[in-house]
Amino acid sequence: MPLKIRTSEITGGAGLLISILLSYPEVAAVNYNPQAQVIKLTFVLKRQLTSFEENQIKASIEKHLDVFAFLNSSQLVPNIASVNAISEQGISLFQIVRDVNSLSPEEISLIIGVVRRQCQDMLLLENPTSHIEGDLVKEELIASMLEMIGKEERQKKLVAFRHEGKVMVYDQEA
């Protein structure tokens, strides 16, 4: 049974992180830093990648983000866009950092799609099905949360991740 979420009950940064994690099981964690106005999407791979594999995946993600930015040049140009890879102790992490002011739900969907295609069965998924069905519903929910972030006066530095089938959100400043 799909999860029902009322956006009026969720506010700002926490709502954005929750909506991304519920929409995309490929995302292991999401960080939000309101001072820097950035969001970081973290993907976990089941094995440690070679430097060559890391560079291939990283280059593909960056290429797709560049093309997306070029095609959407009439919209806001990304101020911050970086892809980082960390491999150690048998696993690999990919972290994509983007500024929230120019980030769109379509770009998040593109990032997820590229990671899904590049990493396929290597992605570590706690629950392989989305709790929110329908791409349009996902994008509308994320769009409303991105809009809410811009309106909030007091925002906290947050991290959200999955644990035993639940989405956990923590204040990193506490």
Side-chain angles (χ1 to χ4, degrees), residues 1-6 18 22 130-133 137 167:
M1 181 167 103
L3 182 67
K4 293 184 180 180
I5 298 175
R6 288 184 228 140
I18 292 167
L22 290 177
S130 171
H131 294 287
I132 301 173
E133 296 185 20
V137 173
V167 172

Side-chain angles (χ1 to χ4, degrees), residues 21-22 29 53 64 71 80 145 168:
L21 287 173
L22 290 177
E53 289 172 314
H64 282 84
L71 293 174
I80 300 169
M145 293 297 126
M168 311 297 282

Side-chain angles (χ1 to χ4, degrees), residues 102-169:
S102 65
L103 184 63
S104 70
E106 296 82 12
E107 184 176 359
I108 293 171
S109 184
L110 171 73
I111 291 167
I112 305 302
V114 172
V115 170
R116 189 182 297 145
R117 275 189 305 280
Q118 290 292 314
C119 301
Q120 298 174 8
D121 59 345
M122 291 187 289
L123 279 166
L124 183 63
L125 305 174
E126 183 175 308
N127 183 358
T129 58
S130 171
H131 294 287
I132 301 173
E133 296 185 20
D135 290 339
L136 186 57
V137 173
K138 292 176 188 179
E139 288 182 4
E140 286 178 3
L141 179 61
I142 291 170
S144 68
M145 293 297 126
L146 283 167
E147 188 177 313
M148 287 177 77
I149 281 180
K151 295 177 182 177
E152 274 191 347
E153 290 180 24
R154 298 188 71 216
Q155 299 177 18
K156 296 180 180 184
K157 192 173 183 181
L158 302 171
V159 61
F161 56 90
R162 286 188 192 78
H163 180 67
E164 296 179 0
K166 297 178 183 175
V167 172
M168 311 297 282
V169 180

Side-chain angles (χ1 to χ4, degrees), residues 88-102:
E88 57 184 51
Q89 298 184 8
I91 65 167
S92 294
L93 301 175
F94 274 94
Q95 298 176 323
I96 293 132
V97 180
R98 281 286 286 107
D99 65 286
V100 293
N101 297 322
S102 65

Side-chain angles (χ1 to χ4, degrees), residues 51-91:
S51 293
F52 179 76
E53 289 172 314
E54 279 182 10
N55 291 334
Q56 276 191 307
I57 294 169
K58 195 173 164 185
S60 178
I61 294 168
E62 289 170 343
K63 181 180 83 173
H64 282 84
L65 289 175
D66 288 345
V67 170
F68 183 85
F70 176 76
L71 293 174
N72 291 292
S73 60
S74 62
Q75 297 176 4
L76 292 173
V77 177
N79 292 322
I80 300 169
S82 68
V83 180
N84 304 307
I86 303 164
S87 288
E88 57 184 51
Q89 298 184 8
I91 65 167

